[in-house]
Amino acid sequence: MFGLLEGLVEKNKEYIKDGDVANYIPALSKVDKNQLGIAIIYLTKDGYKDYFAGDYTTNFAIESTSKVITLIMAMMDHSPEYVFQKIGTEPSGFPFNSILNMNINNKEVPSNPFINAGAIVVNSLIKGKDSEEKINRILNFTRKLANNDFIDVNEEVYLSEKRTGDINRSLGYYLKGKNVISGDVEDILDAYFKQCSISVCALDLAKIGSVLANKGVCPWNNKKLIPEDICTITKSIMVTCGLYDESGSFAVHIGVPAKSGVGGGILATVPNKMGIGIYGPSLDSKGNSVAGIKLLQELSKTLDLNIFE
């Protein structure tokens, strides 16, 4: 497996040139785009085995991949039924930060929890008296899912997100004006910006994916962190909405639940088999890791991971 992953990483580095880093966020524009790494947590009867190659320990901003974690938390804090009164479950077909995502099927709620408007609603539903309490809860849960107590917010990325987050601010105030969210908009957005600025590596994402693959149970200590029904809902939405407006093509060609982020990360989960984490900061026009997508597609084909086959 190590040889396979090393070969796939080297082979797919050729696609890095076809994209670029997320230069609209100043802190992310400084990242070296010539990086690519992968980690796999493979479930076994006795626990797990880990495999990796390339830049799998390089830390990067989790960005939209964090939306998987906060969706799980919101459903656990309330209930899936309550959460999906506030957001939809449908792909939008629009860019992830478009206000048009609020007006699908004549519903004045965001079309799904993985676009920015939906993720802001999700963050507003997480219990906590203010942004500090919320982000501490998000961090603690992320650390448990990744089995990594050193995960924290990257302060430079957070301040960069906050300075340039005018579109997200407009979405937040629009949501408040439509009575979709309650509470202080700036406080909710502060927690959201911090959520997106959490620093992780591909191995962290692979571990989070393995918990989802294992029906909410950590393969390293056998502790149940997520109810099974919430795992099922989360993986279903990852299939249909996890890769922005490229989700349909991704489902056809790769066929595993996944969520990407403009920091270059991809979190993928293969039910009952493995969690996968990929890092490649060179992005395509949709905001997905250009080499990472190619790498995951080839891995899925080689290991026969497509859940629809």
Side-chain angles (χ1 to χ4, degrees), residues 106-128:
N106 297 316
K107 294 180 180 178
E108 286 291 342
V109 297
S111 55
N112 68 69
F114 292 159
I115 54 161
N116 287 13
I120 292 168
V121 174
V122 169
N123 187 285
S124 78
L125 296 175
I126 292 173
K127 292 181 178 179

Side-chain angles (χ1 to χ4, degrees), residues 37-53:
I38 184 171
I40 291 176
I41 301 295
Y42 192 90
L43 302 178
T44 66
K45 290 181 180 179
D46 302 321
Y48 72 96
K49 291 183 179 179
D50 52 1
Y51 304 96
F52 34 78

Side-chain angles (χ1 to χ4, degrees), residues 280-291:
S282 182
L283 309 179
D284 63 21
S285 61
K286 306 292 187 181
N288 299 315
S289 173
V290 61

Side-chain angles (χ1 to χ4, degrees), residues 230-261:
I230 289 178
C231 277
T232 300
I233 292 168
T234 303
K235 287 180 283 190
S236 299
I237 298 175
M238 288 170 74
V239 169
T240 57
C241 308
L243 276 293
Y244 305 126
D245 43 336
E246 198 174 4
S247 297
S249 174
F250 182 87
V252 169
H253 296 293
I254 300 176
V256 298
K259 181 72 193 83
S260 62

Side-chain angles (χ1 to χ4, degrees), residues 128-141:
K129 67 179 184 292
D130 54 25
S131 67
E132 184 177 359
E133 187 171 322
K134 280 186 182 181
I135 194 60
N136 284 334
R137 291 191 64 229
I138 294 167
L139 279 171
N140 288 333
F141 190 54

Side-chain angles (χ1 to χ4, degrees), residues 68-81:
V68 171
I69 297 165
T70 52
L71 174 61
I72 292 167
M73 289 183 68
M75 289 191 284
M76 290 173 63
D77 278 353
H78 302 278
S79 70
E81 292 77 18

Side-chain angles (χ1 to χ4, degrees), residues 55-93:
D55 301 298
Y56 73 97
T57 60
T58 299
N59 286 328
F60 57 90
I62 193 170
E63 296 294 340
S64 286
T65 312
S66 66
K67 295 170 183 177
V68 171
I69 297 165
T70 52
L71 174 61
I72 292 167
M73 289 183 68
M75 289 191 284
M76 290 173 63
D77 278 353
H78 302 278
S79 70
E81 292 77 18
Y82 182 84
V83 169
F84 291 111
Q85 290 174 7
K86 304 286 187 178
I87 47 177
T89 57
E90 301 297 327
S92 71

